[in-house]
Amino acid sequence: MEAKAAREVQYRRMVLEDVPQVHAIDTASFSLPWPESSFRYELTENKASRCWVADATGTNGEKQIVGMLCLWLIIDEAHIGTIAVHPDFRHVGIGKRLLATALLEAHHEGVRQVYLEVRRGNVNAQKMYRQFGFEVTNVRPHYYSDNGEDALLMTLVAIVPGELERLRKEP
Ligand SMILES: CC(C)(COP(=O)(O)OP(=O)(O)OC[C@H]1O[C@@H](n2cnc3c(N)ncnc32)[C@H](O)[C@@H]1OP(=O)(O)O)[C@@H](O)C(=O)NCCC(=O)NCCS
């Protein structure tokens, strides 16, 4: 499916049947992807895990997973474990809506603060996180084992649900 053929995108919790497509997006997006078994573990074993997908329906009715996200709940905090959008569907608002949907649901479950790590060079992702109010609160030097790149720890200190609703609905 081409991005312009995506008639409708639904944001819903990930199920086991999604895992092969989710893993394909992960592999296409990261130099250190998770093994496919990690997604299955998150869905079946890890009670703290909340995994989401963006599920596109094309003009001819075909369906395709075009985005994925996993976060972990730790009492009133959430840690974003991974988020990626299929390379053919980037920068059309899917990542933003996926993140807003997952964080709104996390807020319903009592989450107030959110943390994530992002590569220092990943400026596109950092721009998205800043739209949500995330700020850099720490640096983890040489965090990534493939190239020794630093991780920026970004924190959203207080979720504002109305702001997430706005981002979820933004064109
Ligand atoms: C980061 C990522 C998930 C964003 O998802 P996306 O669907 O492409 O992003 P959106 O279309 O929702 O854009 C949200 C904001 O992100 C920023 N952004 C995203 N892609 C961008 C690009 N190519 N150029 C500049 N800014 C970009 C912009 O601020 C954008 O807001 P705008 O549309 O008002 O300019 C996606 O680019 C991706 O999968 N990247 C590879 C994996 C990755 O880096 N994940 C994050 C790990 S921490």
Side-chain angles (χ1 to χ4, degrees):
M1 191 194 307
E2 288 184 24
K4 54 178 179 293
R7 184 163 46 89
E8 190 197 346
V9 182
Q10 283 190 327
Y11 300 88
R12 60 163 175 81
R13 289 285 289 277
M14 190 187 297
V15 294
L16 274 175
E17 292 69 36
D18 299 326
V19 167
Q21 287 189 73
V22 165
H23 181 60
I25 294 173
D26 194 30
T27 304
S29 301
F30 296 111
S31 48
L32 298 171
W34 290 7
E36 201 170 314
S37 57
S38 294
F39 289 101
R40 286 197 294 273
Y41 171 82
E42 295 301 330
L43 293 175
T44 58
E45 304 287 335
N46 187 354
K47 301 260 181 296
S49 188
R50 302 290 181 273
C51 293
W52 291 80
V53 290
D55 188 356
T57 306
T59 41
N60 61 359
E62 67 181 308
K63 283 183 151 281
Q64 184 181 339
I65 304 297
V66 295
M68 61 85 173
L69 173 159
C70 287
L71 59 77
W72 299 298
L73 305 182
I74 307 128
I75 309 175
D76 61 348
E77 297 173 4
H79 194 121
I80 309 288
T82 189
I83 175 171
V85 170
H86 187 292
D88 296 345
F89 291 81
R90 287 187 191 153
H91 211 190
V92 294
I94 291 171
K96 182 174 65 180
R97 289 189 204 106
L98 181 62
L99 182 58
T101 303
L103 292 187
L104 266 171
E105 190 59 34
H107 183 265
H108 287 314
E109 291 200 67
V111 166
R112 296 296 175 262
Q113 287 206 348
V114 190
Y115 299 90
L116 59 85
E117 274 111 13
V118 56
R119 286 178 190 259
R120 190 187 279 283
N122 192 351
V123 290
N124 291 344
Q126 289 165 37
K127 268 179 79 179
M128 179 174 77
Y129 300 138
R130 287 212 174 80
Q131 289 183 351
F132 281 76
F134 283 88
E135 287 179 6
V136 177
T137 47
N138 209 343
V139 178
R140 305 200 196 286
H142 317 302
Y143 182 80
Y144 294 98
S145 60
D146 59 331
N147 64 352
E149 192 170 356
D150 295 347
L152 306 182
L153 178 72
M154 296 188 79
T155 306
L156 176 59
V157 288
I159 289 180
V160 180
E163 192 56 21
L164 294 178
E165 291 283 9
R166 186 186 67 73
L167 285 160
R168 192 167 63 160
K169 288 182 190 142
E170 224 174 43

